[in-house]
Amino acid sequence: MRLTLVGTGYVGLVAAVCFAKLGHEVIAVDREPVIRGLKENKLTVWEPQLEPELADVYANGLLRFETDIVQASSDTDALMIAVGTPTRSDGHTDLGHIHEVLSHLMQAGTCPPLVIIKSTVPVGTCDELEATLLAAGLHTEVAFNPEFLRQGSAFNDFMEPDRIVFGCQTPQAESLLRQLYEGIEAPVHVCDRRSAELIKYASNAFLAMKISFANMMSDVCEGYGADIRHVMSGVGADQRIGPEFLSAGVGYGGSCFSKDLQSLLTTGKLIGSPLPILESVAKVNNQRIPRMIAKLISLWGNPSGKRLCVLGISFKPNTNDVRDAPFLTLLAQCERHGIEVQAFDPVVRQVGAKSVQLMDSPYAAAAQADAVMIMTEWPQFAELDWPYLLHLMRRPYVLDGRNLLPSPIISQIVDIDGAIYMPVGRPMERSPIPWAGVSSPE
Ligand SMILES: NC(=O)c1ccc[n+]([C@@H]2O[C@H](COP(=O)([O-])OP(=O)(O)OC[C@H]3O[C@@H](n4cnc5c(N)ncnc54)[C@H](O)[C@@H]3O)[C@@H](O)[C@H]2O)c1
């Protein structure tokens, strides 16, 4: 099949490479600077496997890059749109990028027979887009094919999904969609477009709800001296619940959960159906960083002038994506409290904020710090030389915002005089010898 795919971000680029791997001829379209970067092998998206897989399909001629949407879709079987759909400040979803793509085609008076929306869009959007195209004289079916990949494991998720969802109106559209996914073994769920649009939002809302549930219970565990890891593994062992997305920590982030939750809340309000469970999900998540700051204050007293070493900036491991990362909220709150931040991340090289010093190693980030906080569960953080890292700090305090460190490392930490290890949803551990207030040398 010939597929034109607009938008080469975290979703579009992985999808373009995977469809090319499945044997389709793919033309990927984006704005000029993005396409120039892709042609020069300068990727803005970091994802495991992406570089070699992209190089492979590009070298084989199965994937091309273009900037002109009209030209790229002039002789194609389907046009897939994977552009961003951010939330506006009023809570509504901004469909501007999708409208911009379609406006090029409407101006040119031409459109492929099938437009597949891969971007996450509110219920009713595909109906409206199809009507807009029809009003411009273009007889095109608009189908919805939501994406469920997770950044950090995007290739596996795309090639081995739990399910594929097609929201479409005609057997022709379904048949084209089935051809596109031929070679991927997964249950296919075919339904009307509106239901498919809601499947995507409801899935993300449910996952966010599981995370907030675990975080809510972790507060109770902290109050009563229980261990959230035991509680949630006992809960998740029930097949009706499942073990995934039940880890307590500093809260969810990323470009999807908060945005999609907000969009779904607005969708509900529009028809007078508020979604109180989801309001609470967001509220619990918003309390995570203030709670971490409160823990710092419980250790330090006055936080002003203290230095915090932060390990992990991206919203999750194995991605360079900082959109809506809990780190950004932490940074803003540290600024308000006069806390200086030195941070390290294995792949993030810039965050666009002046109030943080990005360091090129975790040890450099720890220099003269008054505490270290793990914000992202990059596995390599568990392999650091923790006694050495703590030796570089002013005070040996560790806040493990992801419950990442294993017991042998925690034992090494609390062997150090004055050390405190403070996890989430579990009792803290500390050296029997209190901190003597002696700083290590610069
Ligand atoms: N990131 C995820 O993990 C994920 C998972 C599932 C679904 N989604 C959804 O997929 C969509 C895309 O998300 P993303 O994270 O890949 O976004 P992104 O911001 O990484 O990528 C969007 C790309 O679209 C391009 N673009 C925007 N307008 C364009 C136009 N008019 N012409 C050409 N290119 C244009 C941008 O330049 C950018 O490269 C969103 O709706 C998102 O909600 C994202």
Side-chain angles (χ1 to χ4, degrees), residues 381-393:
F381 293 156
E383 280 149 30
L384 298 175
D385 182 343
W386 279 90
Y388 174 62
L389 187 133
L390 293 189
H391 163 77
L392 299 168
M393 293 169 51

Side-chain angles (χ1 to χ4, degrees), residues 183-333:
I184 295 185
E185 302 271 319
V188 176
H189 191 96
V190 185
C191 59
D192 64 279
R193 298 183 290 212
R194 286 177 182 244
S195 303
E197 286 161 337
L198 277 176
I199 287 174
K200 175 63 194 171
Y201 280 104
S203 300
N204 271 0
F206 201 88
L207 292 171
M209 183 177 73
K210 286 186 89 176
I211 296 172
S212 277
F213 184 84
N215 281 327
M216 178 188 77
M217 290 308 300
S218 84
D219 295 349
V220 178
C221 288
E222 279 181 13
Y224 283 93
D227 185 331
I228 188 68
R229 297 169 307 170
H230 291 308
V231 174
M232 282 303 131
S233 77
V235 169
D238 187 325
Q239 283 185 22
R240 293 167 302 176
I241 297 171
E244 306 275 355
F245 281 73
L246 289 179
S247 297
V250 294
Y252 58 77
S255 66
C256 292
F257 280 178
S258 292
K259 150 178 107 64
D260 293 351
L261 217 62
Q262 190 51 54
S263 175
L264 190 50
L265 283 166
T266 305
T267 298
K269 275 190 194 128
L270 283 175
I271 52 153
S273 286
L275 306 165
I277 294 178
L278 302 188
E279 279 165 16
S280 300
V281 168
K283 200 167 148 194
V284 170
N285 200 56
N286 292 340
Q287 288 162 351
R288 295 303 97 200
I289 297 300
R291 215 174 152 90
M292 294 306 284
I293 296 279
K295 286 181 179 179
L296 283 174
I297 292 173
S298 75
L299 291 173
W300 290 338
N302 181 4
S304 179
K306 299 288 188 302
R307 186 181 287 180
L308 179 66
C309 163
V310 179
L311 298 182
I313 293 174
S314 55
F315 83 95
K316 62 184 290 196
N318 291 317
T319 180
N320 64 344
D321 196 353
V322 296
R323 290 177 292 181
D324 254 329
F327 172 82
L328 298 176
T329 313
L330 177 77
L331 195 58
Q333 298 200 10

Side-chain angles (χ1 to χ4, degrees), residues 6-13 29-31 34 44-45 67 69 81-86 96-98 100-101 104 118-121 146-151 200 204 255-256 259-260 315 321 323:
V6 189
T8 60
Y10 288 91
V11 166
L13 193 55
V29 180
D30 209 303
R31 300 188 193 283
V34 181
T44 50
V45 170
T67 51
I69 291 166
I81 301 181
V83 297
T85 47
H97 295 306
I98 295 183
E100 190 190 331
V101 172
H104 289 294
K118 188 153 263 310
S119 305
T120 304
V121 292
E147 184 50 59
F148 300 100
L149 64 77
R150 292 162 301 176
Q151 289 171 228
K200 175 63 194 171
N204 271 0
S255 66
C256 292
K259 150 178 107 64
D260 293 351
F315 83 95
D321 196 353
R323 290 177 292 181

